[in-house]
Amino acid sequence: MRLAGKTALVTGATSNIGRAIAVALAAEGAHVVVAGRNKERGDEVVGEIRAAGGQADFVAVDLNGTKAAANELAEAATRLLGGRIDVLVNNAGAIDGGKTTETDEETFDTVYAVNVKSPYFLTAAIAPAMVAAGGGTIINLGSWVARLGIPVGAVYAASKGALETLTRAWSAEFGPSGVRVNAIAPGVVHTDPNHPATAMMTGTPHGRIGAPQAIADAAVFLASDQAAFVHGTVLDVDGGRLGVAVIAG
């Protein structure tokens, strides 16, 4: 129970990585607000957490990049969590895997609104209260494609690169006041171990797709006091995708 007595807000928490993180934080004792657009899926996550003896509530929100949407979520989550948020996980994301010449302006704006503007304004709304309370933890979800170029999804890669840069900037801005800010950069992760995207893990030490639970375990560590000396770091949980090339002998 590394997070006993703590409170947490997880965005994009109704599926895949976000769902796994919400469930894992609750299993470690945190009262979790599950944020997402789909109430039916959100209620399922809350039900799973409560059935296991944990505490959770759902907030329906469309994180569209506006400051108003971020402020609305911050206020609702703070109220449900008894007046404070100890852990913020900026997980909600929009993915575009197209090529640069195929990406229209609407898609570009949507990806940046969800992946950069929303976490920016949500952090702006929540971090000051963490500072006033004496501390807190912010965890951003980056991506291996932010630092290893591939020929598709340039706008998505750029947005995740921006979020990893914000991780370091926020660590410098809020760290001295007791708020630890870090990021996790997942490799190819999916609930289906046979998903076609597993081909992108060829040539890595792990050699196959990762499970959402691997990212959730990393989030629990970063949220806990075990990571008290970890600041401004992007933790690669990617099966070795970014740093290692396996050469067939």
Side-chain angles (χ1 to χ4, degrees):
M1 302 295 284
R2 286 174 283 178
L3 302 176
K6 300 290 187 180
T7 62
L9 166 61
V10 183
T11 67
T14 61
S15 64
N16 205 24
I17 290 174
R19 178 172 185 152
I21 290 175
V23 171
L25 295 180
E28 289 287 344
H31 181 178
V32 179
V33 163
V34 174
R37 292 180 296 178
N38 189 302
K39 185 179 186 303
E40 182 178 354
R41 292 193 305 184
D43 288 343
E44 288 179 3
V45 180
V46 169
E48 178 182 349
I49 290 171
R50 290 178 178 176
Q55 292 180 280
D57 294 283
F58 173 69
V59 173
V61 62
D62 180 11
L63 288 173
N64 56 13
T66 63
K67 187 173 183 179
N71 287 346
E72 181 181 341
L73 174 58
E75 291 170 5
T78 300
R79 184 170 58 253
L80 285 168
L81 294 173
R84 77 179 199 280
I85 298 172
D86 298 312
V87 180
L88 167 62
V89 181
N90 286 312
N91 168 75
I95 298 176
D96 175 62
K99 295 185 177 181
T100 299
T101 53
E102 300 169 348
T103 302
D104 57 32
E105 188 172 2
E106 181 181 1
T107 300
F108 185 101
D109 288 344
T110 297
V111 171
Y112 259 75
V114 177
N115 295 359
V116 183
K117 288 184 68 179
S118 288
Y120 186 95
F121 288 121
L122 193 55
T123 297
I126 292 174
M130 288 181 171
V131 170
T137 302
I138 298 171
I139 303 169
N140 300 318
L141 268 292
S143 174
W144 63 280
V145 297
R147 283 166 287 136
L148 181 64
I150 60 175
V152 292
V155 65
Y156 174 74
S159 72
K160 288 301 185 178
L163 192 55
E164 290 190 4
T165 296
L166 284 171
T167 297
R168 292 182 284 271
W170 288 336
S171 181
E173 184 174 356
F174 301 116
S177 299
V179 179
R180 290 190 299 106
V181 187
N182 293 288
I184 301 170
V188 183
V189 173
H190 202 275
T191 52
D192 177 9
N194 298 313
H195 192 276
T198 195
M200 300 181 77
M201 293 298 290
T202 300
T204 67
H206 196 67
R208 61 190 184 280
I209 208 165
Q213 187 61 45
I215 312 305
D217 290 340
V220 168
F221 165 69
L222 289 176
S224 74
D225 291 340
Q226 290 178 310
F229 200 46
V230 183
H231 291 260
T233 293
V234 178
L235 179 60
D236 294 317
V237 186
D238 62 0
R241 174 70 283 174
L242 187 63
V244 183
V246 176
I247 301 174

